[in-house]
Amino acid sequence: MEHTHHEHQAIAQAPGEHGGHPDHAGHTDHSGHAAHVAHGPVSWAMAARATLHCLTGCAIGEILGMVIGTALGWHNVPTMILAIVLAFAFGYSLTLRGVLAAGVGFRTAFRVALAADTLSIAVMELIDNGVIAVWPSAMDAQPADALFWGALAASLALAFVVTTPVNKWMIGRGKGHAVVHRYHH
């Protein structure tokens, strides 16, 4: 999808910021908005907070998807697909809620949520579902089983550990949750 220059500015800067930076000839350069987000090194705490934000949405979606699929008597693959879809939906929704609260229109807020969370949620879901898939009997565990909750907790913890450096790297480059932070003052 092609974005207009105005839409790129809305996604790339917080309300009230001035777009672009004048070059030596006095022209305004709008080419690298995202690169101007990171101011100094990104802390591990900031990356962990961004990852925890994604983990919250993923966990809600994962648990809800597994409980619904199990309650409906679905097989493992459709249940896992539902859990993944809901993990993305809840992950995006949490970000969307915060950006909308900053007064941004829905279309721009939705783009910000996609830009902020897609890679983080994808990595988290890959790790989380990969662990569940290879853990003996975890795919067949029911919500009433300790194995269900133990495997889920372990898979989400590992997903957090793997995704935090990804978020640190993205924020340091003005991507991921760095885009969302422009709207939180």
Side-chain angles (χ1 to χ4, degrees):
M1 175 185 297
E2 187 66 30
H3 300 295
T4 66
H5 177 72
H6 178 70
E7 290 169 336
H8 279 293
Q9 280 184 305
I11 292 171
Q13 70 188 55
E17 287 183 351
H18 300 288
H21 298 279
D23 64 13
H24 296 295
H27 299 98
T28 301
D29 173 24
H30 297 283
S31 62
H33 292 293
H36 300 295
V37 174
H39 300 289
V42 177
S43 71
W44 282 104
M46 180 185 287
R49 282 190 301 273
T51 306
L52 186 58
H53 175 89
C54 285
L55 180 69
T56 302
C58 287
I60 292 167
E62 285 283 331
I63 293 167
L64 188 59
M66 287 185 214
V67 168
I68 290 170
T70 301
L72 295 175
W74 290 0
H75 294 285
N76 291 337
V77 172
T79 298
M80 187 177 275
I81 291 169
L82 176 63
I84 292 168
V85 168
L86 290 176
F88 272 92
F90 278 94
Y92 289 143
S93 294
L94 291 178
T95 298
L96 190 60
R97 180 186 58 134
V99 176
L100 286 170
V104 176
F106 181 81
R107 185 174 171 176
T108 298
F110 185 72
R111 288 184 179 145
V112 168
L114 290 177
D117 291 335
T118 300
L119 182 59
S120 181
I121 295 171
V123 170
M124 196 163 287
E125 286 302 297
L126 178 68
I127 300 301
D128 173 44
N129 287 287
V131 168
I132 297 293
V134 299
W135 191 307
S137 302
M139 291 290 290
D140 298 319
Q142 302 294 312
D145 300 333
L147 177 60
F148 177 91
W149 296 104
L152 182 62
S155 68
L156 289 172
L158 182 60
F160 177 84
V161 169
V162 172
T163 307
T164 298
V166 172
N167 281 326
K168 187 177 188 306
W169 177 81
M170 288 177 23
I171 294 168
R173 280 147 188 79
K175 300 182 184 318
H177 271 258
V179 177
V180 175
H181 290 293
R182 292 184 204 118
Y183 296 95
H184 295 226
H185 295 292

